[in-house]
Amino acid sequence: GVGGLTVFREIVKVRPDARYIYVADDAGFPYGDQPETMLIARIIDVLGEAIVEHRPDLAVIACNTASTLALAELRARFSVPFVGTVPAIKPACGQSKTKRVSVLGTRATVSREYTRALIREFAAGCEVALIGSAHLAACAEAELSGKPAADDVISPEINGCFIDDGRRTDTVVLACTHYPLLIERFKTLAPWPVTWLDPAPAIARRVADLLQTRPPAATPALPPQIVFTSGK
């Protein structure tokens, strides 16, 4: 889907000289509810074809579901460096003042052992609530296409993030790359102000680090190219 655009817009700021191929697996959208074995096979197939055709210096997996599920397998199969997108639990817990953090993602992402392992390793004394949404990714797609979802559709999806038992939630991790497209809606509908943590800037910094040995191109970059798996 379009969630990867929130990552792309940050990466292009740090390496505007690069040539970008955006692979949109729209034929496979949404990933969240698909069986894991089928999804791993699909991700490997789609990326494998893209790597053969475009021979990239680096591949960014701009999807939490795909990264938490298939990143290890991708790194085992391909020599191209991969940058994944995983829930930003470590920085969220590091900056939380109330030590109450929520992770808002797809049901698939928040149910994964990968996500729970991040909490065990990096919670640092924080209480971390996992909130899985079935509808927000589709709401973000609609928002971008000019057909915003009603408030009463979005509100129930985020309400579980807000816990007040003497310590209020102060940080919400956006654990789906679609969700930053809705961040202004979230701010409006939130019962109190929180920090909404978008991982995209950190992903961009990691890309810049990995590509620092590749000097800026001498000629202007070619326009970004988008490839739809549906053939549209």
Side-chain angles (χ1 to χ4, degrees):
V2 300
L5 292 172
T6 66
V7 177
F8 168 75
R9 68 186 176 188
E10 296 299 323
I11 295 174
V12 77
K13 291 176 186 176
V14 300
R15 286 304 298 254
D17 62 297
R19 170 128 192 254
Y20 293 95
I21 309 294
Y22 186 99
V23 181
D25 188 15
D26 59 326
F29 179 84
Y31 277 2
D33 297 323
Q34 295 186 40
E36 290 192 2
T37 53
M38 185 182 302
L39 193 50
I40 291 171
R42 179 172 188 86
I43 293 164
I44 290 170
D45 182 56
V46 169
L47 277 164
E49 288 188 13
I51 288 167
V52 169
E53 182 173 356
H54 300 291
R55 295 167 51 224
D57 296 312
L58 181 145
V60 178
I61 313 304
C63 171
N64 283 265
T65 298
S67 296
T68 56
L69 188 60
L71 196 53
E73 184 77 17
L74 289 166
R75 286 172 171 157
R77 286 179 176 247
F78 303 105
S79 59
V80 173
F82 287 94
V83 175
T85 305
V86 299
I89 291 166
K90 182 178 181 180
C93 292
Q95 72 182 41
S96 174
K97 299 292 191 293
T98 64
K99 297 301 180 183
R100 185 169 286 288
V101 170
S102 292
V103 177
L104 179 64
T106 64
R107 289 177 176 174
T109 294
V110 301
S111 67
R112 287 246 155 74
E113 170 57 24
Y114 191 111
T115 303
R116 297 178 189 279
L118 289 174
I119 293 172
R120 289 195 298 271
E121 186 171 358
F122 297 119
C126 285
E127 293 290 332
V128 180
L130 296 172
I131 311 299
S133 169
H135 306 296
L136 284 177
C139 290
E141 297 262 334
E143 188 88 9
L144 195 63
S145 67
K147 301 173 183 176
D151 288 352
D152 60 6
V153 173
I154 294 176
S155 285
E157 301 294 302
I158 68 170
N159 285 343
C161 295
F162 294 88
I163 299 169
D164 185 358
D165 59 0
R167 289 186 300 152
R168 278 186 169 187
T169 304
D170 70 349
T171 306
V172 179
V173 175
L174 298 178
C176 173
T177 56
H178 278 77
Y179 296 175
L181 296 169
L182 295 168
I183 197 164
E184 294 306 318
R185 302 288 304 279
F186 293 163
K187 290 177 180 178
T188 299
L189 296 170
W192 61 78
V194 297
T195 298
W196 300 91
L197 195 57
D198 176 3
I203 294 168
R205 289 192 295 271
R206 179 61 177 156
V207 169
D209 287 344
L210 290 173
L211 292 181
Q212 60 184 325
T213 58
R214 299 299 301 263
T219 56
L222 293 171
Q225 178 183 347
I226 188 165
V227 178
F228 292 96
T229 56
S230 65
K232 293 178 181 178

